[in-house]
Structure formats: C-alpha cells, structure tokens
Coordinates of all heavy atoms in Angstrom, one line a residue:
G1 N 0.8 -1.2 0.0 CA 0.0 0.0 0.0 C 0.9 1.2 0.0 O 2.0 1.2 0.1
E2 N 0.3 2.4 -0.1 CA 0.9 3.6 -0.1 C 1.6 3.9 1.2 O 1.0 3.6 2.3 CB -0.1 4.7 -0.4 CG 0.6 5.9 -1.1 CD -0.5 6.9 -1.5 OE1 -1.4 6.5 -2.2 OE2 -0.3 8.1 -1.1
G3 N 2.8 4.3 1.2 CA 3.5 4.6 2.4 C 4.3 3.5 3.0 O 5.2 3.6 3.9
E4 N 4.1 2.3 2.4 CA 4.9 1.1 2.8 C 6.3 1.1 2.1 O 6.4 1.4 0.9 CB 4.2 -0.2 2.5 CG 2.9 -0.4 3.3 CD 2.3 -1.7 3.1 OE1 3.0 -2.6 2.5 OE2 1.1 -1.9 3.3
E5 N 7.2 0.8 2.9 CA 8.6 0.7 2.4 C 8.8 -0.7 1.7 O 8.5 -1.8 2.3 CB 9.6 0.9 3.5 CG 11.0 1.1 3.0 CD 11.9 1.5 4.1 OE1 11.5 2.3 5.0 OE2 13.0 1.0 4.1
A6 N 9.4 -0.7 0.5 CA 9.7 -2.0 -0.2 C 10.8 -2.7 0.7 O 11.7 -2.1 1.3 CB 10.2 -1.7 -1.5
R7 N 10.6 -4.1 0.7 CA 11.5 -4.9 1.5 C 12.1 -5.9 0.6 O 11.4 -6.6 -0.2 CB 10.6 -5.6 2.6 CG 11.5 -6.5 3.5 CD 10.6 -7.2 4.4 NE 9.6 -6.4 5.0 CZ 8.6 -6.9 5.8 NH1 8.6 -8.1 6.2 NH2 7.7 -6.1 6.3
E8 N 13.4 -6.2 0.8 CA 14.1 -7.2 0.0 C 13.9 -8.6 0.7 O 14.0 -8.6 2.0 CB 15.5 -6.9 -0.1 CG 15.9 -5.9 -1.1 CD 17.4 -5.8 -1.5 OE1 18.1 -6.8 -1.3 OE2 17.8 -4.7 -1.9
L9 N 13.7 -9.6 0.0 CA 13.5 -11.0 0.5 C 14.6 -11.8 0.0 O 15.0 -11.7 -1.2 CB 12.2 -11.5 0.1 CG 10.9 -10.8 0.5 CD1 9.7 -11.4 -0.1 CD2 10.8 -10.7 2.0
D10 N 15.1 -12.7 0.8 CA 16.1 -13.7 0.3 C 15.2 -14.9 -0.1 O 14.4 -15.5 0.7 CB 17.0 -14.2 1.4 CG 18.0 -13.1 1.7 OD1 18.4 -12.3 0.8 OD2 18.4 -13.0 2.9
I11 N 15.4 -15.4 -1.4 CA 14.7 -16.6 -1.9 C 15.8 -17.6 -2.2 O 16.7 -17.3 -3.0 CB 13.9 -16.3 -3.1 CG1 12.8 -15.2 -2.8 CG2 13.3 -17.5 -3.7 CD1 12.1 -14.7 -3.9
V12 N 15.8 -18.8 -1.5 CA 16.8 -19.7 -1.6 C 16.3 -21.1 -2.1 O 15.4 -21.6 -1.6 CB 17.5 -19.9 -0.2 CG1 18.6 -20.9 -0.2 CG2 18.0 -18.5 0.4
H13 N 17.1 -21.6 -3.1 CA 16.8 -23.0 -3.5 C 17.5 -23.9 -2.4 O 18.7 -23.8 -2.3 CB 17.5 -23.2 -4.9 CG 17.4 -24.7 -5.4 ND1 18.3 -25.6 -5.0 CD2 16.4 -25.2 -6.1 CE1 17.9 -26.8 -5.5 NE2 16.8 -26.6 -6.2
D14 N 16.7 -24.7 -1.7 CA 17.2 -25.3 -0.6 C 17.3 -26.9 -0.9 O 17.1 -27.7 0.0 CB 16.3 -25.0 0.6 CG 16.9 -25.4 1.9 OD1 18.2 -25.5 2.0 OD2 16.2 -25.7 2.9
G15 N 17.7 -27.3 -2.1 CA 17.8 -28.7 -2.4 C 16.6 -29.3 -2.8 O 15.5 -28.7 -3.1
T16 N 16.6 -30.7 -2.9 CA 15.5 -31.5 -3.2 C 15.2 -32.5 -2.1 O 16.0 -32.7 -1.3 CB 15.7 -32.2 -4.6 OG1 16.8 -33.1 -4.4 CG2 15.9 -31.3 -5.7
C17 N 14.0 -33.0 -2.2 CA 13.6 -33.9 -1.2 C 12.5 -34.9 -1.7 O 11.9 -34.6 -2.7 CB 13.1 -33.3 0.1 SG 11.6 -32.3 -0.1
E18 N 12.3 -36.0 -0.9 CA 11.1 -36.8 -1.2 C 10.0 -36.4 -0.3 O 10.2 -36.1 0.8 CB 11.4 -38.3 -0.9 CG 10.4 -39.2 -1.4 CD 10.9 -40.7 -1.3 OE1 11.8 -41.1 -2.0 OE2 10.3 -41.4 -0.6
L19 N 8.8 -36.3 -0.9 CA 7.7 -35.7 -0.2 C 6.4 -36.5 -0.4 O 6.2 -36.9 -1.5 CB 7.5 -34.2 -0.7 CG 6.6 -33.3 0.0 CD1 7.1 -33.0 1.4 CD2 6.5 -32.0 -0.8
E20 N 5.7 -36.7 0.6 CA 4.4 -37.3 0.5 C 3.3 -36.4 1.0 O 3.3 -35.9 2.0 CB 4.3 -38.7 1.3 CG 3.1 -39.5 1.0 CD 3.2 -40.9 1.5 OE1 4.2 -41.3 2.1 OE2 2.2 -41.6 1.3
V21 N 2.2 -36.2 0.1 CA 1.0 -35.4 0.4 C -0.2 -36.2 0.0 O 0.0 -37.3 -0.6 CB 1.1 -34.1 -0.3 CG1 2.3 -33.2 0.1 CG2 1.2 -34.3 -1.8
P22 N -1.4 -35.8 0.3 CA -2.5 -36.6 -0.1 C -2.7 -36.9 -1.5 O -3.1 -38.0 -1.9 CB -3.7 -35.7 0.4 CG -3.2 -34.9 1.5 CD -1.7 -34.7 1.2
A23 N -2.1 -36.0 -2.4 CA -2.2 -36.3 -3.8 C -1.1 -37.4 -4.3 O -1.2 -37.8 -5.4 CB -2.0 -35.0 -4.6
G24 N -0.2 -37.7 -3.5 CA 0.8 -38.8 -3.9 C 2.2 -38.6 -3.2 O 2.3 -37.6 -2.5
K25 N 3.1 -39.4 -3.7 CA 4.5 -39.4 -3.3 C 5.3 -38.8 -4.4 O 5.2 -39.3 -5.5 CB 4.9 -40.7 -2.9 CG 6.2 -40.7 -2.1 CD 6.4 -42.2 -1.6 CE 7.4 -42.2 -0.4 NZ 7.6 -43.5 0.1
Y26 N 6.2 -37.8 -4.1 CA 6.9 -37.2 -5.1 C 8.4 -37.2 -4.8 O 8.8 -36.8 -3.7 CB 6.5 -35.7 -5.3 CG 5.1 -35.6 -5.7 CD1 4.1 -35.4 -4.8 CD2 4.7 -35.8 -7.1 CE1 2.8 -35.3 -5.2 CE2 3.4 -35.7 -7.4 CZ 2.4 -35.5 -6.5 OH 1.1 -35.4 -6.9
K27 N 9.3 -37.7 -5.7 CA 10.7 -37.7 -5.6 C 11.2 -36.5 -6.2 O 10.7 -35.9 -7.1 CB 11.3 -38.9 -6.2 CG 10.9 -40.2 -5.6 CD 11.6 -41.4 -6.3 CE 11.2 -42.7 -5.6 NZ 11.8 -43.9 -6.3
D28 N 12.4 -36.0 -5.7 CA 13.1 -34.8 -6.2 C 12.2 -33.6 -6.2 O 12.3 -32.7 -7.1 CB 13.5 -35.1 -7.6 CG 14.5 -36.3 -7.6 OD1 15.4 -36.4 -6.7 OD2 14.5 -37.0 -8.6
A29 N 11.4 -33.4 -5.1 CA 10.7 -32.1 -5.0 C 11.6 -31.0 -4.8 O 12.5 -31.2 -3.9 CB 9.6 -32.2 -3.9
I30 N 11.5 -29.9 -5.3 CA 12.4 -28.8 -5.2 C 11.9 -28.0 -4.0 O 10.7 -27.5 -4.0 CB 12.4 -27.9 -6.5 CG1 13.0 -28.8 -7.6 CG2 13.3 -26.7 -6.2 CD1 12.8 -28.2 -9.0
R31 N 12.7 -27.6 -3.1 CA 12.4 -26.9 -1.9 C 12.9 -25.5 -2.0 O 14.1 -25.3 -2.2 CB 13.0 -27.6 -0.6 CG 12.6 -26.9 0.7 CD 13.1 -27.7 1.9 NE 14.4 -28.3 1.8 CZ 14.7 -29.5 1.9 NH1 13.8 -30.4 2.2 NH2 16.0 -29.9 1.8
I32 N 12.0 -24.5 -1.9 CA 12.3 -23.1 -2.0 C 12.0 -22.4 -0.7 O 10.9 -22.6 -0.2 CB 11.6 -22.4 -3.1 CG1 11.8 -23.1 -4.5 CG2 11.9 -20.9 -3.2 CD1 13.2 -22.9 -5.1
E33 N 12.9 -21.7 -0.1 CA 12.6 -21.0 1.1 C 12.7 -19.5 0.8 O 13.6 -19.0 0.2 CB 13.7 -21.4 2.2 CG 13.4 -20.7 3.6 CD 14.4 -21.1 4.6 OE1 15.3 -21.9 4.4 OE2 14.1 -20.7 5.7
V34 N 11.6 -18.8 1.3 CA 11.6 -17.4 1.3 C 11.7 -16.8 2.6 O 11.0 -17.0 3.5 CB 10.2 -16.9 0.7 CG1 10.2 -15.4 0.6 CG2 9.9 -17.6 -0.7
K35 N 12.9 -16.1 2.9 CA 13.2 -15.6 4.2 C 12.6 -14.2 4.3 O 13.0 -13.4 3.6 CB 14.7 -15.7 4.4 CG 15.3 -17.0 4.4 CD 16.8 -17.1 4.6 CE 17.3 -18.4 4.6 NZ 18.7 -18.6 4.7
L36 N 11.7 -14.1 5.3 CA 11.0 -12.8 5.5 C 11.7 -11.9 6.5 O 11.2 -10.8 6.7 CB 9.6 -13.0 5.9 CG 8.8 -14.0 4.9 CD1 7.5 -14.3 5.5 CD2 8.6 -13.2 3.6
G37 N 12.7 -12.3 7.2 CA 13.3 -11.6 8.2 C 13.2 -12.2 9.6 O 12.3 -13.1 9.7
E38 N 13.8 -11.7 10.5 CA 13.9 -12.3 11.9 C 12.5 -12.3 12.5 O 12.1 -13.3 13.2 CB 14.9 -11.6 12.7 CG 16.4 -11.9 12.4 CD 17.3 -11.3 13.3 OE1 17.0 -11.0 14.5 OE2 18.5 -10.9 12.9
E39 N 11.8 -11.3 12.4 CA 10.5 -11.2 13.0 C 9.5 -12.1 12.4 O 8.6 -12.6 13.1 CB 10.0 -9.7 12.9 CG 10.7 -8.7 13.8 CD 10.2 -7.3 13.6 OE1 9.1 -7.2 13.1 OE2 11.0 -6.4 14.0
M40 N 9.5 -12.2 11.1 CA 8.4 -13.0 10.4 C 8.8 -14.4 10.1 O 7.9 -15.1 9.6 CB 8.0 -12.2 9.2 CG 7.4 -10.9 9.5 SD 6.9 -10.0 8.0 CE 5.4 -10.9 7.5
G41 N 10.0 -14.8 10.2 CA 10.4 -16.1 9.8 C 10.5 -16.4 8.4 O 11.0 -15.6 7.6
S42 N 10.0 -17.5 7.9 CA 10.2 -17.9 6.4 C 9.0 -18.7 6.0 O 8.2 -19.2 6.8 CB 11.5 -18.7 6.3 OG 11.4 -19.9 6.9
L43 N 8.9 -18.8 4.7 CA 7.9 -19.6 4.0 C 8.7 -20.7 3.3 O 9.8 -20.4 2.7 CB 7.1 -18.8 3.0 CG 6.5 -17.5 3.5 CD1 5.9 -16.7 2.3 CD2 5.4 -17.8 4.5
K44 N 8.1 -21.9 3.1 CA 8.8 -22.9 2.4 C 7.8 -23.4 1.3 O 6.6 -23.7 1.7 CB 9.3 -24.0 3.3 CG 10.5 -23.6 4.1 CD 11.0 -24.8 5.0 CE 12.1 -24.2 5.9 NZ 12.5 -25.2 6.8
F45 N 8.2 -23.6 0.1 CA 7.4 -24.0 -1.0 C 8.1 -25.3 -1.6 O 9.3 -25.3 -1.7 CB 7.2 -23.0 -2.0 CG 6.5 -21.8 -1.5 CD1 7.2 -20.7 -1.2 CD2 5.1 -21.8 -1.4 CE1 6.5 -19.5 -0.6 CE2 4.5 -20.6 -0.9 CZ 5.2 -19.5 -0.6
Y46 N 7.3 -26.3 -1.9 CA 7.9 -27.6 -2.5 C 7.2 -27.7 -3.9 O 5.9 -27.8 -3.9 CB 7.5 -28.7 -1.6 CG 8.2 -28.6 -0.2 CD1 7.5 -27.8 0.8 CD2 9.4 -29.2 0.1 CE1 8.1 -27.6 2.0 CE2 9.9 -29.1 1.3 CZ 9.3 -28.3 2.3 OH 9.8 -28.2 3.6
F47 N 8.0 -27.9 -4.9 CA 7.5 -28.0 -6.2 C 8.0 -29.4 -6.8 O 9.1 -29.7 -6.7 CB 8.0 -26.9 -7.2 CG 7.6 -25.5 -6.8 CD1 8.3 -24.8 -5.9 CD2 6.5 -25.0 -7.3 CE1 7.9 -23.5 -5.5 CE2 6.0 -23.7 -7.0 CZ 6.8 -23.0 -6.0
A48 N 7.0 -30.1 -7.3 CA 7.4 -31.4 -7.9 C 7.4 -31.2 -9.5 O 6.6 -30.5 -10.1 CB 6.3 -32.4 -7.6
P49 N 8.4 -31.9 -10.1 CA 8.6 -31.9 -11.6 C 7.3 -32.3 -12.3 O 6.7 -33.3 -11.8 CB 9.7 -32.8 -11.9 CG 10.5 -32.8 -10.6 CD 9.5 -32.7 -9.5
K50 N 6.8 -31.6 -13.3 CA 5.7 -31.9 -14.1 C 4.3 -31.8 -13.3 O 3.3 -32.2 -13.8 CB 5.8 -33.3 -14.8 CG 6.9 -33.4 -15.7 CD 7.0 -34.7 -16.4 CE 8.2 -34.8 -17.3 NZ 8.3 -36.1 -17.9
V51 N 4.4 -31.2 -12.1 CA 3.2 -31.1 -11.3 C 3.0 -29.6 -10.9 O 2.0 -29.0 -11.1 CB 3.3 -32.0 -10.0 CG1 2.0 -31.8 -9.1 CG2 3.3 -33.5 -10.4
G52 N 4.0 -29.1 -10.3 CA 4.0 -27.7 -9.7 C 4.0 -27.7 -8.2 O 4.6 -28.6 -7.6
L53 N 3.4 -26.8 -7.6 CA 3.4 -26.7 -6.2 C 2.6 -27.8 -5.5 O 1.4 -28.1 -5.9 CB 2.7 -25.3 -5.8 CG 2.6 -25.0 -4.3 CD1 4.0 -24.8 -3.7 CD2 1.8 -23.8 -4.0
V54 N 3.3 -28.5 -4.6 CA 2.6 -29.7 -4.0 C 2.5 -29.4 -2.5 O 1.6 -30.0 -1.8 CB 3.3 -31.0 -4.2 CG1 3.2 -31.4 -5.6 CG2 4.8 -31.0 -3.8
M55 N 3.2 -28.5 -1.9 CA 3.1 -28.2 -0.5 C 3.7 -26.8 -0.1 O 4.6 -26.4 -0.8 CB 3.8 -29.3 0.4 CG 3.5 -29.1 1.9 SD 4.0 -30.6 2.9 CE 5.6 -30.1 3.3
G56 N 3.1 -26.1 0.9 CA 3.6 -25.0 1.3 C 3.6 -24.9 2.9 O 2.6 -25.4 3.5
E57 N 4.7 -24.4 3.5 CA 4.7 -24.3 4.9 C 4.8 -22.8 5.3 O 5.7 -22.1 4.8 CB 5.9 -25.1 5.5 CG 5.8 -26.5 5.3 CD 7.0 -27.3 5.8 OE1 8.1 -26.7 5.8 OE2 6.8 -28.4 6.1
F58 N 3.9 -22.3 6.1 CA 3.9 -21.0 6.5 C 4.1 -20.8 8.1 O 3.1 -21.0 8.8 CB 2.5 -20.3 6.1 CG 2.2 -20.6 4.7 CD1 1.4 -21.6 4.3 CD2 2.8 -19.8 3.7 CE1 1.2 -21.9 3.0 CE2 2.5 -20.0 2.4 CZ 1.7 -21.1 2.0
G59 N 5.3 -20.6 8.5 CA 5.5 -20.7 9.9 C 5.5 -22.1 10.5 O 5.6 -23.0 9.7
E60 N 5.3 -22.1 11.8 CA 5.3 -23.4 12.5 C 4.0 -24.2 12.4 O 4.0 -25.4 12.5 CB 5.7 -23.2 13.9 CG 7.0 -22.6 14.2 CD 8.2 -23.6 13.8 OE1 8.1 -24.8 14.0 OE2 9.2 -23.1 13.2
S61 N 2.9 -23.4 12.1 CA 1.6 -24.1 12.3 C 0.7 -24.2 11.2 O -0.4 -24.7 11.2 CB 0.9 -23.4 13.4 OG 0.6 -22.0 13.1
R62 N 1.1 -23.6 10.0 CA 0.2 -23.6 8.8 C 0.8 -24.3 7.6 O 2.0 -23.9 7.3 CB -0.2 -22.2 8.4 CG -1.0 -21.6 9.5 CD -1.7 -20.4 9.0 NE -2.5 -19.8 10.1 CZ -3.1 -18.7 10.1 NH1 -3.0 -17.9 9.1 NH2 -3.9 -18.3 11.1
T63 N 0.1 -25.3 7.1 CA 0.7 -26.0 5.9 C -0.5 -26.2 4.9 O -1.6 -26.5 5.4 CB 1.2 -27.4 6.4 OG1 2.2 -27.2 7.4 CG2 1.8 -28.2 5.3
I64 N -0.1 -26.1 3.7 CA -1.1 -26.5 2.6 C -0.5 -27.6 1.9 O 0.7 -27.7 1.7 CB -1.4 -25.3 1.7 CG1 -0.1 -24.7 1.0 CG2 -2.2 -24.1 2.4 CD1 -0.4 -23.7 -0.1
K65 N -1.3 -28.6 1.4 CA -0.9 -29.7 0.7 C -1.8 -30.0 -0.5 O -3.0 -29.9 -0.3 CB -0.9 -31.0 1.6 CG 0.1 -30.9 2.8 CD 0.1 -32.1 3.7 CE 1.0 -31.9 4.8 NZ 1.0 -33.1 5.8
L66 N -1.2 -30.4 -1.6 CA -2.0 -30.8 -2.7 C -2.8 -32.1 -2.4 O -2.2 -33.0 -1.9 CB -1.0 -31.1 -3.9 CG -1.7 -31.4 -5.3 CD1 -2.4 -30.2 -5.8 CD2 -0.6 -31.9 -6.3
T67 N -4.1 -32.0 -2.7 CA -4.9 -33.2 -2.3 C -5.3 -34.0 -3.5 O -5.6 -35.2 -3.4 CB -6.2 -32.7 -1.7 OG1 -6.9 -31.8 -2.6 CG2 -6.0 -32.1 -0.4
K68 N -5.2 -33.5 -4.7 CA -5.5 -34.3 -6.0 C -4.8 -33.6 -7.2 O -4.6 -32.4 -7.3 CB -7.0 -34.1 -6.2 CG -7.5 -35.0 -7.4 CD -9.0 -34.9 -7.6 CE -9.4 -35.8 -8.8 NZ -10.8 -35.6 -9.1
F69 N -4.3 -34.5 -8.0 CA -3.5 -34.0 -9.3 C -4.0 -34.9 -10.4 O -3.9 -36.1 -10.4 CB -2.0 -34.0 -9.1 CG -1.3 -33.7 -10.4 CD1 -1.3 -32.4 -10.7 CD2 -0.7 -34.6 -11.2 CE1 -0.7 -31.9 -11.9 CE2 -0.1 -34.2 -12.3 CZ 0.0 -32.9 -12.6
T70 N -4.4 -34.2 -11.5 CA -4.7 -34.9 -12.7 C -3.9 -34.4 -13.8 O -4.0 -33.1 -14.1 CB -6.2 -34.8 -13.1 OG1 -7.0 -35.3 -12.0 CG2 -6.6 -35.5 -14.3
P71 N -3.0 -35.1 -14.5 CA -2.2 -34.6 -15.5 C -3.0 -34.0 -16.7 O -4.1 -34.6 -17.0 CB -1.3 -35.8 -16.0 CG -1.4 -36.7 -14.9 CD -2.8 -36.5 -14.2
A72 N -2.5 -33.0 -17.4 CA -3.2 -32.4 -18.5 C -3.2 -33.4 -19.6 O -2.2 -34.2 -19.7 CB -2.5 -31.1 -18.9
K73 N -4.2 -33.4 -20.5 CA -4.3 -34.4 -21.6 C -3.7 -33.7 -22.8 O -3.7 -32.6 -23.1 CB -5.7 -34.8 -21.8 CG -6.2 -35.6 -20.7 CD -7.6 -36.1 -21.0 CE -8.1 -37.0 -19.8 NZ -9.5 -37.4 -20.0

C-alpha cells in the first residue's frame, strides 16, 4: 500500500527432497525458502517436476498440501 517501504527478501533454492502429500508421493521435489526476516520467519514451498506446487509451509503451524492431481491431456 501507499507509504509502505519496499522490502528485500532472500529466496533460496534449498535442495530437493522426497515428499508425500494426499495427492501422492513425489521424488526430487524442489524446496524453495523465502526468508522474510527475523520477526516474520520464512515460507517454504515444494514443487514437484511436471506437477508444480505440492506443499507450502507458513511458519510453524500452517501447511497447505496438494490433495489431488490430474495430468493435463
């Protein structure tokens, strides 16, 4: 909004991992961490090849997970 100061964020590729969510098990999921600063912590996003975003972690207590995936025809 107006009057807000722009903030730089660190976005880090944090390697790959095996991940299981309700939509399935994914090998080589890419883990991306967005560091928001000491006060706000970080966000973590997990992307699976040929699928996209499969999980997100927001702080210690909030997580979103892909529940269903149907490949495009």
Side-chain angles (χ1 to χ4, degrees):
E2 211 174 301
E4 290 183 21
E5 191 173 320
R7 180 185 320 176
E8 281 192 30
L9 303 175
D10 287 329
I11 301 174
V12 179
H13 177 275
D14 196 23
T16 60
C17 63
E18 189 171 295
L19 189 65
E20 188 167 358
V21 296
K25 194 174 203 177
Y26 299 96
K27 294 181 179 180
D28 298 324
I30 298 167
R31 184 174 41 235
I32 302 291
E33 182 174 6
V34 180
K35 297 179 181 180
L36 303 173
E38 288 183 29
E39 292 177 16
M40 297 182 69
S42 65
L43 309 174
K44 292 181 183 173
F45 298 98
Y46 300 82
F47 297 90
K50 299 183 182 179
V51 175
L53 181 65
V54 293
M55 191 168 92
E57 296 176 331
F58 309 96
E60 297 293 321
S61 60
R62 294 195 177 171
T63 302
I64 58 170
K65 296 179 181 179
L66 184 67
T67 57
K68 183 179 179 183
F69 176 74
T70 304
K73 293 182 180 179

